[in-house]
Amino acid sequence: MSPKQTTGGRPASAVGIGSAVSAGTGILILFIASHALTKEENSEFLSFWAALFFVYGVMGGVQTESTRAASVVALKGITKGQRHPRLITAGLIGGAIVAAVIAALSPVLTAFEFFHHSEIISLGLVLTAILYAGHSALAGTLQGSGHWSVYGRFLILDGLLRLVCIGAAAAWSLGLLGLEIACFCALGAWLLLLAFSRVARQSLQVRADVPLRKLLAQIFHAVVSSISSAALIVAFPLLLKLTTPAAVFEQSAPLLLAISMTRAPIMVPLQAFQGVAIAHVVRAGSEGWRALHRPILILLAVGGLGAVLAFVVGPSLMLLFGSGYGVSGMTLALLTLASLVMAVLTLTGTATLSTGHHRAFSSGWASATAVAIAILLLPLSLEVRCILSLTIGPAVGILVHLLALRRPPAPSGSKPVPSGPAT
């Protein structure tokens, strides 16, 4: 089937609505947690939230590679006689490997009491890696095959399911552990979609454009970059917890919430649109990545306006979470600009992956994370370390990606991709 045939509705509207609902439900969840828990408990919940979405982000490598592979297959088809693996199969294999790594590390989490309920959280994260791998492979296949309306509904289902479960846990006063367990309920979203969507079930049959061994190698590079990107985008509170004295971190909930609030309006829609960008660049040819110039310029303009609004009205909005959540306008504005730099890094990474530069894709994100962690180790105040880390680190990653994009695109699979391959 051609991309045109498989497209269900306009990509921008379908993904736009889905990403808006996803971002909105995320903000509502943080609002519920801030009122259902004490400030100290909320700091713990935000750390757990970061760990959960870190695993989600790592599995995002499965989604981006599935999107790339499905886009190539939708454009070119598969040569007769080739029996490449199903994308869902490769995705679940990747998830099982990540789950094994988490299981191996779980004694460390328990020994150091990294979470209040380390044993339960560790088991939940192991299950998350496996189940969310299936979620990611399905999401990537839907995007690469052009089923945008189904993918948009998938985003809505995932966000609403998580919101309903957490809202119920808060209403029943189940406490910190209850809210944490409720977060795992959303792992069933892709299974619900399979039960009610014929298109989703058909997507399980989509095969890759390369043999299993090469596909797993490419997923490995995507996952490595996803580890780095997830560390910066969703798991930053964990990095902060590791580099900050416990007494200081317990009072960091306002700053952690400010980071989430300044990031979500930019990053959640952008990450949802990554699949659109990957599919576009794959189909547009060797210069297709240049089509991202305009989105980057629009992003810079919107981000600049967002920084001004954060400075003016941000402090008042933060107080909606409670009187103890005051953050200065300057801090909110600088965090918004830092989120803007992160968004540009995400787009340059998308372009790098889409044109087949898998190693440069992972190198850019790894460099960004290494620099960000190094800055967090400096003897500076908590706010200054956060702002510098979230700005300078991604800027270094952008440079690595741009240098790679100056080189000719790498081939994909056993035959070249037409001029040019998703936390």
Side-chain angles (χ1 to χ4, degrees), residues 266 270 294-304 340 343-344 347:
I266 297 176
L270 180 62
R294 184 178 178 185
I296 288 176
L297 290 176
I298 294 175
L299 190 62
L300 291 173
V302 173
L340 177 59
V344 174
L347 281 179

Side-chain angles (χ1 to χ4, degrees), residues 75-136:
L75 180 66
K76 297 170 53 179
I78 295 295
T79 302
K80 187 176 181 180
Q82 288 182 329
R83 293 291 291 176
H84 293 155
R86 289 186 175 89
L87 292 175
I88 187 68
T89 300
L92 289 173
I93 291 174
I97 294 172
V98 174
V101 173
I102 295 174
L105 293 175
S106 60
V108 177
L109 297 179
T110 302
F112 287 93
E113 297 183 346
F114 199 76
F115 298 108
H116 289 348
H117 309 94
S118 294
E119 297 88 351
I120 297 175
I121 299 305
S122 296
L123 176 60
L125 293 179
V126 169
L127 294 175
T128 296
I130 298 173
L131 289 173
Y132 204 75
H135 174 117
S136 300

